[in-house]
Amino acid sequence: MTVDMFLTSIYGSLGQGLLYAPVAIGIFMSLRIMKKPDLTVEGTFAFGAAIAMTMLHGGAHFWATLIVAPIGGAVAGLTTALIHTKLKIDGIISGLLVTMALFSINLFVMGGSTISAPLDSFIFAPIRGQLVALGIQPFHALLWSYVLVGAITLIVVISALFFLYSTSFGLSIRATGDNERMACSNGVNTDSRKISSLVISNAITGLAGALVAQQQSGANVNTGTGVLVIGLASLVIGEIITPKNGSMLTRLLFISLGSFIYFSCISLVIVTGLLSPDWTRLLTAVFALSALCIPKLRQMYSKKRIEVAK
C-alpha cells in the first residue's frame, strides 16, 4: 500500500467517521443515559436517508433536507417512546415494531426500493467546488467536503447536547436514566423524560441518515441495515479510550473519535487486501464483539489482581 493510498484511506475514514458519529451519540443517549437500548435506530437512519433523497430528487434545497430528516427521525422516536411509555410495551419490542413499520413507510416515501438525486444537489457539492477552485484535486476535494460537513454537523450536535445536559431539564433526563424511582419521587415526570430522550436521539440519527445518503449518492430500503452495530462498535471503542471520570463533553468527543477509529480499522483492512469488501459486515460484527468484550476482560483482570494482592 502506497503512502497516497494510506492518506486517502485516512481522509475517507475521517469523513465517514464524522458523518456516522451522530449515530453513535444517539445510541449513547438511549443506551448509556437512559440505560435502555433503542432498536429504532436502523429504521430511523433509513427514514432520514429516504426523506433526504426524495426531497433532493424532487428539487428541494439540501438545507431543507437537514430540517425535515431530523423531524422525521424525531417522529419515529416519539412513536417508539409513546408505545413504550403509554402502552407499556417493552422498549426493545417497541423499537422493533417501529423499525418494521418504517420499512414500508420508506418504500412509500421513495416510491420504490431505491432512489437517487443529482450530485450537484448534495450538500457536499458547493464545498467540493470551492476546494477544487483552490487547486485541490477533485477526488481529494470530495473527501475533504465529507470531513468539513461532518465536522460542522458534529460540532453543532455536541454543542447542543452539552448545553441540554447542563440545564435542569437535561439533568432530570440523566437522573431518570440513573434511578427512575428516585427521580419520580423528586417530582420528575419520568415518562416525559424518556420520550424527550428518544425524540432527540432519533432526530440526530435521522440527520446522520440524510448526510450519509448524500455521501453514498442514494438511498434504498436496506440503507439502515447494520447501522446499529456500527454505532454500538463506535460507542464502545470511544468509551474504552475515554479518560476515567470524563465530563459529558469529553465522553461525546471520544465517542466521535471512536467512530473514526472504527472506520479507519475497517478501511485499512480492506485497502491492504487482507479482506475483500464482501466481508465488511462480518468484520463489523467482529469489531463490535471485540469492543464489547474488552471492558469485561479488563474487569476480570482487575478482580484477579485484587485477589492475588489479598
Side-chain angles (χ1 to χ4, degrees), residues 39 55 92-93 98 137 148 150 159 164 202 207 212 276 284 292:
L39 301 188
M55 291 180 68
I92 293 176
I93 296 175
V98 173
Q137 292 180 359
L148 292 172
S159 299
L164 172 66
N202 281 282
L207 174 62
V212 171
S276 73
T284 298
L292 288 167

Side-chain angles (χ1 to χ4, degrees), residues 96-160:
L96 282 172
L97 290 172
V98 173
T99 298
M100 286 178 63
L102 283 172
F103 185 89
S104 296
I105 293 171
N106 289 337
L107 285 172
F108 172 77
V109 169
M110 294 187 295
S113 59
T114 61
I115 191 169
S116 59
L119 296 178
D120 58 1
S121 66
F122 296 166
I123 188 173
F124 307 107
I127 298 174
R128 182 188 179 217
Q130 291 293 326
L131 293 174
V132 169
L134 292 173
I136 299 176
Q137 292 180 359
F139 179 68
H140 289 146
L142 182 62
L143 294 180
W144 276 110
S145 70
Y146 299 156
V147 173
L148 292 172
V149 170
I152 293 169
T153 303
L154 199 57
I155 289 169
V156 172
V157 168
I158 290 177
S159 299

